[in-house]
Amino acid sequence: MGVRLTVKMINLDPRAKIVIVLCLSTLAVFFNTPGSLLIVLIITLLLLQIFQVKYISLIYKFRRLLPVLLVLLFVQSAFTGHGQVLIAFGDVHILTTGGVSSAGCVLLRMLILFGSAMIIATSNSRDYVLALVQLKIPYEIAFMVLIALRFLPIFIQEANDTLIAMQLRGVDIKKVAWGKKIKYFTYIFSPLVSNVLIKANQLAISMEARGFRVYPRRTYLRVLKYNLLDYLITILSLSLTLAVLTLSIVR
Amino acid sequence: MAFMELLQVSFSYRGQKQLLNDINFSIHNEGITALTGPNGIGKTTLSKLMVGMLVPTTGHITLKGQDISGMTLAQIGRLVGYVFQNPEKQLFCPTVSEEISFGLQNLELPEHDVQRLVKENLPYFELEHLAQSFPLQLSEGEKRRLAIAAVLVLEPELLVLDEPTTGLDAYRKHLLGECLKKIVASERGVFMISHDNNFINRYASRILILENGRLKEHGC
């Protein structure tokens, strides 16, 4: 039963997945209390579990965000001044319950946004182009989105390789002063921009050589079909989100 | 003591089956060692392990008796020069001259020594007329020559070259071979990955073959 549900959910139409992600993101942006955001996060994690996405590594990666959250915690406590004061230095509030709540909200919100975005990764990027085209978005724009998604990991890898090459030629990046570090980062940036332009040019030539935009219309090897489960999920997601938002506003 | 030693090194990329299995070998900083084997067998992975770009799943690698897991890439790079299979990956400076001088400046050499070494190396690799060109706009062969020049100028004790002859014409292969001979003559070692049997047979003093994740010595 569980396996069948997982298979059905993974095979959902990409448009239905986009709706789920939009609903979760809307709720994450709308809610402003740790309690309500925690409920949205639990729903997101349950969905990730159903979609068989390994989300533990995502949570683990968020440890890098902890210094930023700590800064936020003290900034919010010192400047917004709401909530009960937990630690104070003279008249300056070092830590308040309001600050703790704000920092918690930022963490939960980011977890929901990144977690919900992981649902997108359960479909082939090619299917999202079809989904966008069937949502009447021009093919050129949809294709650009696909290309950006496809090339992003390659560019990250290239930047990483350049950084390694630099270190192997004597740069100890951890010991370098900030001024020099910025200079070295420009060294990573310039080949990356150049490579993007070269690849874009090569891709454009290759696409035109294969008849891209020769005719105003194009046919597709596969056409996405919205089935009953897709309709159900879409209606359920939208109606639940609208109901929760309406209730929150009315209250 | 061997310059570099790999002891019971195994490696697998995350979520994939084991690529390298119980690799044991040592390299002295002398002679030319060639590594050959079919495509996708893990030759480049092995070279990346040797320069600390990857970490073995099990086993360890020592460089001059020191475990490289405790060394930074910059420290390894002082002893081992690495030329990538795709030279574009290691070209990042705005001009060819700066590309060659980059590593020398990190060694904190005086400016006149840096200038002298750049001037000596540019003509040797036939890059003199391209001194002010943008490296990524060079031809494939020129990029490869530049990548090799930028690493060789640092005079590493061991030079690791991944497919160095790709994109080079016969004359430049000969130049590269002669250059490798000069390196060896200056009591330094070369480890190269190559499919170019003619080049290997002509220049290599030791041939290693990687097959099914295991390493064997040619002739053994």
Side-chain angles (χ1 to χ4, degrees):
Chain A
M1 175 70 183
V3 176
R4 277 174 63 189
L5 177 68
T6 298
V7 172
K8 278 187 178 172
M9 289 297 276
I10 289 172
N11 291 331
L12 272 185
D13 190 289
R15 287 164 291 183
K17 289 181 186 173
I18 291 172
V19 170
I20 296 174
V21 172
L22 283 177
C23 289
L24 290 170
S25 314
T26 308
L27 291 174
V29 173
F30 181 80
F31 285 134
N32 223 357
T33 58
S36 42
L37 283 169
L38 190 65
I39 294 169
V40 181
L41 178 64
I42 291 167
I43 295 168
T44 309
L45 295 180
L46 280 174
L47 282 168
L48 288 174
Q49 189 73 41
I50 294 170
F51 279 103
Q52 283 196 331
V53 177
K54 288 173 184 158
Y55 54 82
I56 301 295
S57 61
L58 171 81
I59 296 170
Y60 185 65
K61 275 179 190 162
F62 266 76
R63 76 191 189 283
R64 289 177 191 165
L65 211 72
L66 283 177
V68 181
L69 287 170
L70 274 176
V71 172
L72 194 75
L73 183 76
F74 294 120
V75 169
Q76 289 276 353
S77 299
F79 294 105
T80 59
H82 65 279
Q84 199 184 333
V85 179
L86 299 172
I87 303 171
F89 187 76
D91 284 342
V92 182
H93 298 166
I94 304 294
L95 195 65
T96 63
T97 51
V100 175
S101 165
S102 297
C105 283
V106 170
L107 175 67
L108 291 168
R109 199 169 281 136
M110 292 191 85
L111 279 168
I112 296 165
L113 291 174
F114 281 100
S116 61
M118 285 172 90
I119 295 172
I120 296 279
T122 56
S123 279
N124 191 316
S125 54
R126 187 83 216 155
D127 284 352
Y128 285 104
V129 176
L130 286 175
L132 292 173
V133 167
Q134 284 177 240
L135 286 169
K136 306 291 176 207
I137 288 169
Y139 179 76
E140 288 81 353
I141 307 235
F143 190 75
M144 268 195 275
V145 174
L146 171 79
I147 293 295
L149 287 174
R150 212 188 73 190
F151 277 99
L152 196 63
I154 297 172
F155 292 135
I156 292 170
Q157 184 61 48
E158 279 181 3
N160 202 24
D161 285 337
T162 306
L163 187 65
I164 287 171
M166 230 183 257
Q167 290 178 85
L168 283 173
R169 271 152 74 186
V171 178
D172 198 341
I173 214 83
K174 282 179 187 165
K175 289 183 184 166
V176 168
W178 268 103
K180 257 193 165 179
K181 212 174 253 185
I182 291 166
K183 186 186 161 199
Y184 290 138
F185 281 119
T186 61
Y187 279 141
I188 297 176
F189 194 63
S190 59
L192 204 60
V193 172
S194 164
N195 270 335
V196 169
L197 294 174
I198 291 167
K199 280 203 174 78
N201 191 35
Q202 287 169 344
L203 189 74
I205 293 167
S206 151
M207 282 166 64
E208 281 191 27
R210 285 194 266 164
F212 186 71
R213 295 182 80 187
V214 167
Y215 300 108
R217 285 184 60 194
R218 52 177 284 134
T219 52
Y220 297 91
L221 196 61
R222 204 161 86 81
V223 178
L224 296 175
K225 278 187 187 152
Y226 228 61
N227 61 35
L228 187 63
L229 186 66
D230 297 315
Y231 279 112
L232 268 174
I233 297 280
T234 306
I235 292 166
L236 196 70
S237 305
L238 288 173
S239 49
L240 273 173
T241 308
L242 282 173
V244 170
L245 290 178
T246 314
L247 273 173
S248 304
I249 293 166
V250 169
R251 270 185 190 176
Chain B
M1 183 177 64
F3 178 75
M4 182 182 275
E5 208 161 5
L6 282 84
L7 297 161
Q8 296 173 317
V9 169
S10 298
F11 182 80
S12 59
Y13 287 101
R14 204 194 308 181
Q16 290 179 25
K17 67 171 192 169
Q18 193 143 297
L19 188 63
L20 301 172
N21 193 11
D22 197 25
I23 303 283
N24 289 288
F25 76 97
S26 54
I27 302 174
H28 294 271
N29 46 349
E30 60 185 28
I32 300 175
T33 306
L35 174 66
T36 190
N39 286 340
I41 204 80
K43 300 187 296 296
T44 297
T45 302
L46 182 60
S47 68
K48 285 182 178 175
L49 286 165
M50 287 167 64
V51 291
M53 283 168 67
L54 295 172
V55 180
T57 321
T58 57
H60 61 271
I61 302 167
T62 60
L63 188 58
K64 282 189 153 181
Q66 195 184 341
D67 196 322
I68 66 165
S69 62
M71 296 169 79
T72 64
L73 284 175
Q75 286 169 329
I76 298 169
R78 283 290 296 114
L79 300 167
V80 185
Y82 184 69
V83 180
F84 286 67
Q85 188 171 18
N86 177 4
E88 261 183 27
K89 287 183 177 181
Q90 65 190 97
L91 305 177
F92 46 81
C93 292
T95 65
V96 167
S97 296
E98 283 184 57
E99 197 66 61
I100 297 175
S101 67
F102 180 85
L104 296 169
Q105 285 164 336
N106 291 327
L107 297 180
E108 295 181 353
L109 288 182
E111 197 53 38
H112 62 269
D113 280 345
V114 173
Q115 294 295 338
R116 179 180 56 78
L117 286 164
V118 171
K119 275 185 184 165
E120 275 173 20
N121 277 275
L122 279 171
Y124 186 82
F125 288 92
E126 299 192 355
L127 295 165
E128 207 171 13
H129 62 295
L130 299 164
Q132 295 309 315
S133 304
F134 183 50
L136 293 177
Q137 282 177 339
L138 306 181
S139 73
E140 285 307 305
E142 287 163 349
K143 280 180 201 166
R144 188 164 293 281
R145 271 147 49 206
L146 175 58
I148 295 171
V151 171
L152 265 186
V153 74
L154 300 173
E155 301 189 343
E157 289 183 48
L158 178 73
L159 183 67
V160 179
L161 302 157
D162 194 354
E163 298 286 0
T165 55
T166 311
L168 298 186
D169 57 35
Y171 168 66
R172 288 189 176 94
K173 274 185 197 174
H174 167 75
L175 275 185
L176 175 68
E178 294 309 307
C179 177
L180 297 184
K181 276 185 179 174
K182 276 187 194 171
I183 295 170
V184 172
S186 62
E187 293 180 357
R188 286 179 286 156
V190 174
F191 181 88
M192 66 172 176
I193 293 168
S194 183
H195 283 116
D196 191 335
N197 284 335
N198 288 336
F199 192 79
I200 290 176
N201 291 333
R202 186 159 179 198
Y203 295 102
S205 48
R206 180 187 178 199
I207 301 172
L208 302 170
I209 302 161
L210 190 61
E211 261 177 2
N212 301 321
R214 289 183 182 275
L215 203 65
K216 62 180 184 184
E217 193 113 16
H218 181 64
C220 293

